[in-house]
Amino acid sequence: MPAYRAEQFLAVALESVASQTYGDWEVRVHEDGVYDDSAKIIADFSRMNPGKVYHSFSSKNTGVSRARNQLMDTATGDVIAFLDADDLWLPDHLERALSVMRRSGADWYISGMQEVDGGGLVRGSERLPPAVATSEMAGSLLEHNFIPTSLAVLGPRVVQQKFRFDPNLKVGEDLDLWIRILQAELEPALAEKVTILYRRHDSNTTNDPIRFAEEFAKVFEKHLNNSFLPAGACLRGIEIMLRPVIRMRRWRAPHLAVFALWRLWWARRAHTANCPP
């Protein structure tokens, strides 16, 4: 669990771990920059759950990918379940994930989710992962990343291959990881029940549409010529992300609009060179 300015929701997130019906868990929390009272919350939780809580920290914020990678490097279990500090697991999350993976022989598990707001009130309807064939899932994820990080549980075969998040990606690092796991032919199991409460609040990255689009375009740029993905899908993603940025930046920050235009030109040129008609 990476924790950055997390004190508002951290205690509730940790309590959702302690409430699991599957009891053989450990929770590792990396405080990514010491900016609030998260350390006290973690210490209090650790006293209530001795021997099951591991706390690390960095003095400065290094980014969520590096924080998660450090936690994965030190994890001792053969299954890794993600939980962001503002989300919650419902009590049967771990038990259900492990049961489904054992029964189906799947390599990893994708949960369903219910959005809640900052106060915990339900927003919208429940969302289960779409019934998409594994061979088509990466293409579907490029259109809509339906696997926020907290929904994923990695089984032993995935953990053994030591997949890690790309620290160069500030947004969409989870999508990039899912693409690489799917490309390695590791089979997911899709949940039939919601076991995650996914919180939408004012600090979510997606609340800054310009920054989100600019950063997310980097995921498509990384996989621009990945033959595993549908032809042209990443180029379309780059165009969808950068065109609104160019329009908005033209008036607010012309030099950034020029840079976005250059990225779009480069992507079209690189894609044409590698994928001639």
Side-chain angles (χ1 to χ4, degrees), residues 20 59 75-76 97 102 118 133 135 147 151 268 274:
Q20 292 299 297
S59 58
T76 59
R102 275 196 302 267
S135 59
I147 317 176
L151 273 64
R268 288 171 176 162
N274 286 277

Side-chain angles (χ1 to χ4, degrees), residues 72 78-82 98 101 107-109 152-159 163-165 177-178 181:
M72 294 170 78
D78 60 357
V79 173
I80 293 177
F82 298 109
L98 294 170
M101 285 193 290
D107 300 305
W108 56 303
Y109 176 82
V153 180
L154 308 183
R157 284 188 290 273
V158 183
V159 172
F163 287 94
R164 295 295 183 264
F165 293 92
L177 181 61
W178 312 147
I181 290 174

Side-chain angles (χ1 to χ4, degrees), residues 116-184:
V116 297
D117 64 15
L121 297 176
V122 169
R123 293 176 38 156
S125 57
E126 295 183 344
R127 282 195 255 165
L128 295 174
V132 180
T134 304
S135 59
E136 300 173 359
M137 186 172 290
S140 296
L141 284 167
L142 289 174
E143 296 177 8
H144 169 60
N145 182 12
F146 52 83
I147 317 176
T149 314
S150 294
L151 273 64
V153 180
L154 308 183
R157 284 188 290 273
V158 183
V159 172
Q160 288 164 9
Q161 294 195 35
K162 297 187 181 300
F163 287 94
R164 295 295 183 264
F165 293 92
D166 185 342
N168 296 312
L169 298 174
K170 296 179 181 178
V171 172
E173 73 289 337
D174 48 1
L175 171 60
D176 168 66
L177 181 61
W178 312 147
I179 289 171
R180 288 185 280 120
I181 290 174
L182 289 166
Q183 192 164 4

